[in-house]
Amino acid sequence: MKFRALLLGCLCLWACPGDPEATPLDAGPDLANPIDPLSMPAAPLWSSDRFRSAETCRACHPDHYAEWRTSMHAYAMIDPVFRALVQVRQRDFGGERDAFCTQCHSAIGTRSREIGPGFRFEDLSPVVLEGVTCEACHRISGVERLYNSGHHLDPDGPMRGPIPDPMPTEAHASEGSDLFERPELCGACHEVIEFSGLPLERPYTEWSVSPAAREGRTCQDCHLPTVQGPAALGGPTRARHRHQFVGVDLPITDGFLTPQERDELQQRIAGLLGGTARLSLGVPEQLARGQRLDLVVTVQNLIAGHNLPTGSTFHRQLWLELTVTDAAGTIRYRTGQLDPDGDLQDHFSTHRPYGDPDLVRFGSRFVDKRGNPTLFPWLAAEHFSTAIPPGYARTQTLFVDTTRAAPGLAQIQARLRFRAMPPFLLRLLGLESAASTLPIYEVATASAALTLE
Ligand code: HEC
Ligand code: HEC
Ligand code: HEC
Ligand code: HEC
Ligand code: HEC
């Protein structure tokens, strides 16, 4: 209970002043019913032991297995941030609404009702703890709706995949299915709408109106790159698809990845994020000292496929760090610096709440029905987003006071930085030891100079 009080205490602060051009997301359908015959059934659809563990695929699909094992799909039910948030929700609803969070993270566990009211992660079977495991995708027989685990799972059907003429095997019947090459397969889970109807994540919707969609480029084209090799041991060489599903998250659980795998994944994330945005600065060549400098900052999303950031935008931190240094070397203006805990100086900073009123962030935030910021989607009444749509740019003007600046050439240094989640969230959830391991990536940099006379 003390934990809960602490959380609430931190939520009831005033709105974040730094978000540029916040626009509310549209309201979704009314989904207030905690029973959903497809994804949150009242009675088990089947038993979870009808699905096989990824371990059974490993012998013949060693590369797919090795890549999947290091992916966030394999981490979906282990993720301590997920577990901690589910536990807060269990307390808030007395266990009544637990199936909501697990319907995508483990459709097998939710639909078999192995996950019931007040469930405990420790009691779940291995295949359920494998989260988005091989058969959670390759037993999908169709998609009924493009949100909230809107796909059909068929434990009796063949193993479906993209190969139209698979080599026969005794291990399973196989069937080519073009669904595996379509973004609707992803959209069934990568579109999250709360019971209230509030959209939480919507990469599929963003994709559907993107330049990539117009060119026929899908989620798979970017997130499952091809390599030449056998799709199964002893099979013919094909263009097979890598299963690491690189996004922006790096697991924080010790032992989930070896240190070497962790380094490799971190490098891949850095590679994915580098070049996703263009940062530019607009300044006059010269300015009379004492006159206000209007510093125009523009950030363009170069990803053709969806917003920057996308997905869990309410946790992601993409922000501008900028300094203006005068000819004498004195910093005259700064924004985007971290406090001693490594947090941005917004309403959630312990040391300097609102210490950075100009903070420019791209992402989203929840407010509850009284207009106060909240971290929990189930307490949110509105979801404000400043994420940047594909191809588009957002511009913000910073006002810099030059009264005390030394005459001569002033330098402006800026960088766009990204972090998957804020340290304060980990501290609130009792995961503080992981806070210092969160990497910060450099997405783009820019510099400029002007003469102050
Ligand atoms: C005894 C070996 C063996 C085991 C075990 C095995 N598979 Fe396969 N699988 C194959 C072979 C062989 C193919 C055909 C490969 C080809 O044609 O290139 C195949 C094909 C596939 C395909 C492609 C189907 C298509 O038409 O696109 C999928 C998906 C698949 N397997 C998933 C799995 C999963 C998931 C498991 C574990 C539950 C598994 N397999 C276990 C041998 C195996
Ligand atoms: C044109 C290439 C491209 C396409 C198409 C694309 N993505 Fe991405 N995706 C990226 C890049 C680059 C990133 C890393 C930057 C970011 O986070 O937005 C990313 C990041 C992500 C992330 C992690 C984002 C986060 O902050 O949590 C998810 C989830 C994701 N994509 C899902 C999808 C889905 C689902 C689709 C299809 C509906 C899709 N992507 C289509 C390139 C693409
Ligand atoms: C999140 C969903 C998802 C998960 C989890 C997943 N796959 Fe796949 N798999 C796909 C998709 C999508 C494709 C086809 C991509 C395309 O054609 O663009 C695919 C393709 C394949 C193929 C056909 C060969 C190829 O690479 O194209 C095999 C075999 C396969 N997967 C095996 C596995 C095994 C084994 C696991 C678990 C270790 C697994 N998959 C986990 C979505 C998934
Ligand atoms: C059965 C539900 C489901 C399906 C289908 C699915 N995903 Fe996911 N995906 C998830 C979940 C849940 C996570 C997050 C796990 C976690 O971090 O706790 C995730 C994570 C990811 C990530 C990593 C994001 C990050 O921040 O690092 C990427 C990228 C991704 N998925 C892409 C895809 C693509 C592309 C497809 C379609 C081929 C797909 N997914 C299909 C449920 C699904
Ligand atoms: C409709 C499917 C779906 C539902 C329902 C869902 N998730 Fe997820 N979750 C995802 C997908 C997809 C991702 C990967 C998105 C990304 O990386 O941007 C994800 C990622 C996450 C992550 C890791 C990334 C992050 O935000 O830090 C956490 C934690 C998480 N979900 C918690 C929850 C909680 C708590 C709930 C219930 C309130 C929930 N999820 C409900 C699909 C779902």
Side-chain angles (χ1 to χ4, degrees):
M1 285 307 108
K2 197 174 154 211
F3 172 63
R4 182 89 191 94
L6 172 74
L7 285 168
L8 278 173
C10 297
L11 303 174
C12 299
L13 292 165
W14 189 239
C16 166
D19 289 347
E21 298 169 44
T23 46
L25 302 176
D26 302 337
D30 179 19
L31 304 161
N33 190 354
I35 302 295
D36 180 297
L38 178 61
S39 62
M40 297 183 288
L45 297 184
W46 17 250
S47 163
S48 55
D49 61 19
R50 301 274 296 282
F51 291 83
R52 285 177 295 170
S53 158
E55 295 297 332
T56 64
C57 322
R58 185 177 189 173
C60 302
H61 301 290
D63 298 332
H64 290 90
Y65 175 86
E67 290 156 4
W68 166 83
R69 192 189 57 76
T70 62
S71 75
M72 300 312 289
H73 285 138
Y75 186 62
M77 287 292 280
I78 297 168
D79 186 347
V81 180
F82 175 70
R83 289 186 173 202
L85 286 168
V86 168
Q87 279 155 8
V88 176
R89 190 177 168 109
Q90 286 186 316
R91 269 169 261 173
D92 279 9
F93 294 111
E96 287 300 308
R97 291 187 171 191
D98 294 1
F100 175 78
C101 293
T102 58
Q103 62 183 322
C104 307
H105 288 248
S106 177
I108 295 173
T110 312
R111 296 175 190 201
S112 65
R113 298 277 298 181
E114 195 178 309
I115 294 172
F119 81 95
R120 297 184 330 153
F121 283 95
E122 305 81 80
D123 301 334
L124 300 176
S125 65
V127 72
V128 171
L129 290 173
E130 280 181 17
V132 186
T133 182
C134 313
E135 292 207 342
C137 283
H138 288 292
R139 294 279 189 200
I140 293 180
S141 56
V143 170
E144 188 171 306
R145 58 164 191 247
L146 287 164
Y147 58 87
N148 290 12
S149 199
H151 55 277
H152 289 279
L153 268 182
D154 171 14
D156 300 317
M159 207 64 83
R160 293 178 173 86
I163 306 172
D165 54 346
M167 209 173 87
T169 165
E170 281 175 9
H172 54 76
S174 310
E175 190 178 287
S177 157
D178 65 0
L179 178 60
F180 282 78
E181 287 168 290
R182 295 211 314 265
E184 287 73 25
L185 181 84
C186 321
C189 291
H190 283 264
E191 286 278 306
V192 190
I193 307 179
E194 245 299 350
F195 278 135
S196 60
L198 197 69
L200 306 181
E201 300 180 16
R202 41 188 216 174
Y204 177 84
T205 303
E206 294 158 10
W207 173 85
S208 65
V209 293
S210 72
R214 285 196 293 279
E215 293 159 12
R217 284 165 74 203
T218 61
C219 321
Q220 285 86 333
D221 289 335
C222 294
H223 290 287
L224 287 108
T226 53
V227 281
Q228 290 297 317
L233 279 190
T237 297
R238 302 182 182 275
R240 75 158 191 95
H241 295 85
R242 298 200 58 146
H243 273 51
Q244 214 173 16
F245 294 87
V246 179
V248 299
D249 265 312
L250 197 61
I252 60 170
T253 307
D254 278 344
F256 182 78
L257 299 183
T258 65
Q260 195 196 342
E261 285 167 345
R262 198 184 145 87
D263 286 350
E264 269 171 33
L265 180 57
Q266 192 170 330
Q267 277 169 26
R268 280 182 202 274
I269 297 171
L272 188 71
L273 282 169
T276 55
R278 181 179 297 128
L279 172 64
S280 41
L281 302 173
V283 288
E285 270 174 33
Q286 54 194 42
L287 193 72
R289 247 179 345 130
Q291 217 181 324
R292 190 183 73 189
L293 166 62
D294 292 354
L295 181 53
V296 181
V297 180
T298 303
V299 178
Q300 188 186 0
N301 175 4
L302 301 178
I303 311 167
H306 47 61
N307 289 5
L308 178 70
T310 189
S312 319
T313 46
F314 40 90
H315 286 165
R316 308 307 181 203
Q317 293 192 313
L318 176 68
W319 78 98
L320 176 77
E321 185 201 77
L322 182 141
T323 52
V324 180
T325 312
D326 70 12
T330 309
I331 292 177
R332 292 295 169 190
Y333 177 91
R334 56 168 30 159
T335 178
Q337 275 73 28
L338 302 175
D339 76 7
D341 284 334
D343 279 310
L344 290 171
Q345 297 170 40
D346 63 10
H347 51 275
F348 289 115
S349 168
T350 314
H351 296 267
R352 301 196 61 209
Y354 318 108
D356 191 355
D358 287 356
L359 181 62
V360 179
R361 256 194 70 189
F362 304 96
S364 70
R365 61 196 167 87
F366 296 128
V367 295
D368 67 15
K369 56 180 187 292
R370 293 191 310 275
N372 295 322
T374 175
L375 293 171
F376 303 115
W378 56 94
L379 299 180
E382 282 186 86
H383 189 181
F384 293 96
S385 174
T386 54
I388 313 171
Y392 283 80
R394 281 190 193 270
T395 296
Q396 176 96 340
T397 305
L398 302 172
F399 305 132
V400 180
D401 179 6
T402 64
T403 329
R404 294 206 257 149
L409 202 63
Q411 305 283 349
I412 302 159
Q413 297 290 342
R415 50 183 182 161
L416 191 64
R417 311 187 81 194
F418 182 93
R419 179 162 60 187
M421 63 186 77
F424 73 77
L425 177 69
L426 294 179
R427 288 200 307 276
L428 276 175
L429 296 174
L431 301 165
E432 44 274 86
S433 61
S436 60
T437 68
L438 289 171
I440 298 179
Y441 303 91
E442 203 156 275
V443 179
T445 56
S447 59
L450 80 158
T451 308
L452 291 173
E453 297 170 328

